[in-house]
């Protein structure tokens, strides 16, 4: 075992070891010799302790005034801002994306925390007239209790904050299980919450494997909300488990996002957008661009511009500010990417650039692959249909806008889509008819802002949205309140007829 720092679980305001007595190493995907930290391999007993602590803390936290909860969130946001550079560097070391992007990830957590802090003085319900004399009607949001969060590794701090901050401002308490690959960024977030005044038991963290901890995180009757971001396959299981006792269940899952490029598009802009959409975060974003639908008259030019730009992207260790694309998260993800490249070739797509693992020198220390583009992709191919979660882009051809929209919708997912065109009629038609939760005009498929709803249709989600005030609907329930000050029994629908 290395002499790296050992991190513990955070339960009831204290850092504690797992009852299992076991730990695991978190390594840097750009340099697998570097151990970023040693983390607890927790078991069901640890989860139970965390849920018990959260249940107990809920009794007080739900009654603590929301504006006061907001004041703590403001302090957390300010502290994250002050520590942004250090948090981002640690994040690059733990999951590999380039430093500019981890700064963006930390910034997203800062934005979400400030935004939800402000909600502490809003959490608006409505007042509305009663149909009776001398009666007052209103709605209020009430918290639910303990929330379990299961989060992925690609946005190590942003996604946890998207769940934690709206849950906390509504008055809930939290148990979070970060992805095995990225516990450090969540531990850092939890430490800030603790130091800036979140009371003991209100936030708890248990690290370890999802397959071992999923059941105890979901099946405990004290847990009333489960919020998950990850693969559709795991999300389906979680949804089924939550149905048994009607827990609130919010799922954000896979994507197969498309960028449409029409013949009147600003091609430079479209190429810029596609590169960022496809190869940002090494393609490991739920909103990553993995399909291009390009008009037949410009597909040749667009493809050659893409090839030239993709070839010049600098791949390497994301801590070096000149690097434009980092490694895949681990050996398994690298293998998946390489196997999809083979599948693409076998299915008859034309590999136009990339396609190889990067080797030699420092590349041998990590999980690096070339930015890869396929041309002549058709709708029956697996690289068109299946989420790859890596830097692999497929270009398909369309004859007109109607066909482009049909092709865009030809997927089981529905997270994000975009169109590049100078024709406002085409832009609005696509905006209306492409069935996704997020749509961009003349911008890539990535780039969400925290004050707009985030989530997808079809197999990407189950109807909920994260971020914005939409997130409050996941973490609160409406109570409709009727106050009768008439002093007599007034029967609705009967006495006022
Ligand atoms: P994943 O395998 O589904 O893992 C996500 C989380 O679920 C991790 O914390 C994982 O723990 C846990 N988990 C694994 N098996 C579980 C089980 N049986 N029960 C309960 N929890 C379990 O997904 P991933 O490979 O980390 O992330 C990539 C996927 O996430 C992609 O499909 C991507 O599209 C999706 N994603 C979606 C969004 C969105 O907002 N729509 C955002 C980001 C990512 P371990 O780490 O211990 O396995
Ligand atoms: Mg790691």
């Amino acid at each position: 075992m290395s002499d790296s720092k050992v991190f513990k679980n955070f339960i009831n305001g204290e850092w504690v070891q797992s009852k299992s007595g076991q730990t695991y190493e978190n390594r840097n995907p750009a340099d697998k010799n570097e151990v970023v930290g040693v983390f607890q391999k927790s078991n069901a007993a640890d989860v139970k302790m965390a849920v018990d602590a959260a249940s107990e803390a809920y009794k007080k936290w739900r009654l603590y005034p929301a504006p006061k909860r907001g004041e703590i969130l403001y302090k957390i946001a300010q502290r994250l801002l002050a520590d942004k550079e250090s948090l981002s560097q640690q994040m690059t070391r733990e999951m590999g994306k380039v430093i500019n992007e981890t700064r963006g990830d930390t910034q997203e957590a800062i934005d979400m925390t400030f935004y939800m802090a402000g909600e502490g003085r809003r959490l608006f319900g409505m007042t509305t007239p009663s149909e009776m004399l001398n009666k007052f009607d209103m709605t209020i949001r009430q918290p639910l209790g303990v929330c379990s969060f299961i989060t992925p590794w690609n946005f190590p701090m942003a996604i946890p904050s998207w769940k934690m901050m709206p849950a906390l401002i509504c008055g809930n308490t939290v148990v979070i299980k970060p992805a095995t690959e990225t516990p450090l960024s969540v531990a850092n977030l939890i430490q800030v919450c603790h130091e800036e005044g979140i009371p003991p038991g209100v936030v708890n963290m248990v690290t370890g494997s999802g397959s071992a901890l999923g059941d105890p995180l979901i099946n405990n009757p004290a847990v009333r909300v489960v919020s998950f971001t990850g693969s559709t396959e795991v999300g389906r299981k979680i949804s089924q488990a939550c149905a048994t006792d009607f827990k609130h269940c919010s799922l954000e899952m896979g994507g197969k996002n498309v960028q449409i490029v029409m013949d009147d598009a600003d091609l430079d802009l479209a190429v810029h957008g596609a590169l960022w959409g496809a190869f940002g975060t090494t393609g490991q974003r739920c909103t990553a661009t993995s399909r291009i639908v390009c008009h037949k008259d410009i597909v040749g030019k667009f493809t050659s511009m893409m090839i030239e730009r993709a070839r010049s992207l600098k791949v390497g260790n994301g801590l070096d500010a000149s690097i434009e694309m980092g490694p895949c998260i681990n050996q398994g993800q690298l293998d998946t990417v390489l196997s999809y490249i083979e599948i693409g070739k076998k299915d008859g797509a034309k590999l136009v650039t990339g396609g190889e693992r990067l080797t030699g020198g420092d590349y041998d220390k990590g999980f690096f692959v070339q930015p890869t583009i396929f041309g002549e992709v058709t709708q029956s191919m697996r690289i068109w249909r299946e989420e790859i979660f890596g830097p692999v882009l497929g270009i398909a051809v369309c004859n007109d806008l109607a066909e482009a929209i049909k092709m865009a919708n030809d997927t089981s997912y529905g997270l994000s889509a975009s169109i590049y065109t100078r024709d406002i009629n085409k832009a609005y038609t696509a905006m209306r008819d492409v069935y996704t939760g997020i749509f961009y005009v003349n911008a890539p498929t990535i780039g969400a802002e925290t004050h707009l709803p985030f989530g997808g249709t079809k197999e990407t989600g189950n109807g909920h949205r994260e971020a914005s005030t939409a997130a409050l609907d996941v973490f609160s329930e409406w109570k409709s309140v009727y106050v009768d000050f008439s002093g007599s029994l007034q029967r609705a629908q009967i006495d006022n007829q």
Side-chain angles (χ1 to χ4, degrees):
M1 187 59 89
S2 68
D3 56 3
S4 313
K5 181 165 179 198
V6 178
F7 291 82
K8 297 177 180 167
N9 288 332
F10 189 74
I11 298 176
N12 207 18
E14 285 174 27
W15 294 98
V16 292
Q17 272 179 341
S18 165
K19 301 249 184 242
S20 73
Q22 294 182 322
T23 57
Y24 73 93
E25 291 177 339
N26 174 10
R27 287 172 183 266
N28 178 346
D31 179 358
K32 49 197 171 188
N33 300 322
E34 183 190 346
V35 179
V36 175
V38 174
F39 288 83
Q40 306 296 308
K41 205 184 229 177
S42 307
N43 61 20
D46 300 315
V47 173
K48 180 165 186 321
M49 268 177 59
V51 173
D52 288 349
S55 294
E56 191 54 35
Y58 176 62
K59 292 176 192 163
K60 279 197 186 156
W61 184 247
R62 81 179 181 91
L63 300 176
Y64 194 63
K68 292 278 171 201
R69 299 197 287 254
E71 282 173 22
I72 302 177
L73 263 56
Y74 276 122
K75 285 194 202 154
I76 295 170
Q78 267 149 359
R79 178 68 184 284
L80 292 173
L81 190 56
D83 294 352
K84 178 174 168 181
E85 187 57 28
S86 155
L87 294 168
S88 307
Q89 294 208 7
Q90 292 178 68
M91 197 188 298
T92 290
R93 284 176 52 220
E94 101 163 323
M95 70 73 69
K97 65 183 170 185
V98 300
I99 185 68
N100 246 340
E101 292 188 39
T102 51
R103 286 179 191 134
D105 193 302
T106 310
Q107 187 61 45
E108 222 168 280
I110 294 165
D111 294 345
M112 183 58 77
T113 309
F114 273 127
Y115 181 87
M116 287 299 162
E119 274 308 307
R121 285 191 183 270
R122 286 186 290 269
L123 287 178
F124 293 140
M126 62 176 179
T127 60
T128 183
S130 168
E131 64 189 47
M132 323 289 290
L133 275 176
N134 297 325
K135 196 176 166 199
F136 186 87
D137 293 356
M138 62 185 158
T139 62
I140 54 174
R141 287 187 185 274
Q142 54 189 339
L144 286 102
V146 180
C147 307
S148 281
F149 299 154
I150 300 175
T151 54
W153 44 262
N154 61 342
F155 280 83
M157 192 175 284
I159 290 176
S161 77
W162 286 13
K163 301 183 190 302
M164 205 181 281
M165 301 312 164
L168 291 177
I169 205 67
C170 288
N172 304 281
T173 56
V174 165
V175 178
I176 180 165
K177 188 215 85 69
T180 295
E181 296 286 359
T182 52
L184 175 61
S185 295
V186 175
N188 286 340
L189 179 61
I190 295 272
Q191 178 69 24
V192 168
C193 289
H194 177 51
E195 287 176 14
E196 299 304 329
I198 293 284
V202 172
V203 296
N204 304 273
M205 177 190 79
V206 179
T207 58
S209 107
S211 47
L213 304 182
D215 278 357
L217 278 164
I218 297 159
N219 294 337
N220 189 315
V223 172
R224 296 315 307 155
V225 183
V226 177
S227 179
F228 166 83
T229 300
S231 60
T232 298
E233 188 193 353
V234 173
R236 185 171 279 118
K237 285 190 206 153
I238 290 176
S239 168
Q240 286 161 352
C242 287
T244 313
D245 59 350
F246 312 112
K247 290 182 162 79
H248 271 211
C249 172
S250 167
L251 306 171
E252 292 298 343
M253 301 172 285
K256 191 71 191 171
N257 312 291
V258 68
Q259 174 179 318
I260 298 171
V261 186
M262 295 312 295
D263 50 347
D264 64 351
D266 176 336
L267 268 197
D268 265 329
L269 192 66
V271 167
H272 244 103
L275 278 168
W276 173 228
F279 303 126
T281 322
T282 320
Q284 302 172 124
R285 285 191 187 221
C286 48
T287 52
T289 311
S290 56
R291 300 181 295 150
I292 297 279
V293 171
C294 190
H295 191 276
K296 63 179 181 350
D297 292 351
I298 50 154
V299 69
K301 177 136 194 257
F302 176 81
T303 305
S304 51
M305 287 167 79
M306 284 294 293
I307 293 170
E308 193 192 322
R309 293 292 304 276
R311 279 191 185 145
S312 70
L313 282 178
K314 263 182 89 178
V315 182
N317 187 324
L319 281 177
D320 172 345
S322 72
I323 293 295
E324 294 165 289
M325 192 179 98
C328 297
I329 184 72
N330 54 29
Q331 184 69 49
Q333 199 58 38
L334 174 66
D335 291 345
T336 302
V337 169
L338 294 173
S339 79
Y340 269 107
I341 289 168
E342 288 314 305
I343 289 166
K345 289 192 232 165
K346 231 185 263 157
D347 281 355
K350 184 174 170 197
L351 180 66
V352 293
T353 188
E356 301 286 338
R357 179 175 185 170
L358 285 159
T359 53
D362 284 347
Y363 284 140
D364 289 336
K365 295 192 210 158
F367 311 111
F368 296 97
V369 64
Q370 293 175 320
T372 298
I373 302 176
F374 281 100
E376 298 175 21
V377 173
T378 60
Q379 287 161 265
S380 61
M381 292 178 186
R382 284 181 62 192
I383 59 166
W384 169 275
R385 315 204 71 81
E386 297 172 20
E387 185 179 44
I388 301 171
F389 226 55
V392 181
L393 179 68
I395 303 175
V397 185
C398 69
N399 290 299
D400 54 28
L401 180 67
E403 190 183 23
I405 291 171
K406 249 194 192 158
M407 292 169 77
N409 285 330
D410 178 31
T411 168
S412 57
Y413 298 110
L415 186 52
S416 179
S418 88
I419 187 166
Y420 282 78
T421 177
R422 289 187 172 103
D423 181 334
I424 194 165
N425 296 348
K426 288 191 175 124
Y428 269 81
T429 303
M431 178 198 74
R432 183 191 61 197
D433 292 341
V434 175
Y435 183 42
T436 53
I438 305 170
F439 191 80
Y440 294 90
V441 177
N442 291 329
T445 62
I446 65 181
E449 300 175 31
T450 52
H451 54 298
L452 274 73
F454 183 94
T457 61
K458 300 194 269 185
E459 293 197 1
T460 296
N462 63 342
H464 297 287
R465 292 290 183 270
E466 300 203 281
S468 76
T469 51
L472 304 175
D473 295 331
V474 173
F475 296 109
S476 64
E477 276 181 316
W478 287 115
K479 183 180 276 176
S480 298
V481 181
Y482 303 90
V483 181
D484 191 323
F485 55 100
S486 70
S488 56
L489 172 66
Q490 300 196 82
R491 296 170 299 175
Q493 295 92 36
I494 295 173
D495 289 335
N496 55 350
Q497 293 309 305

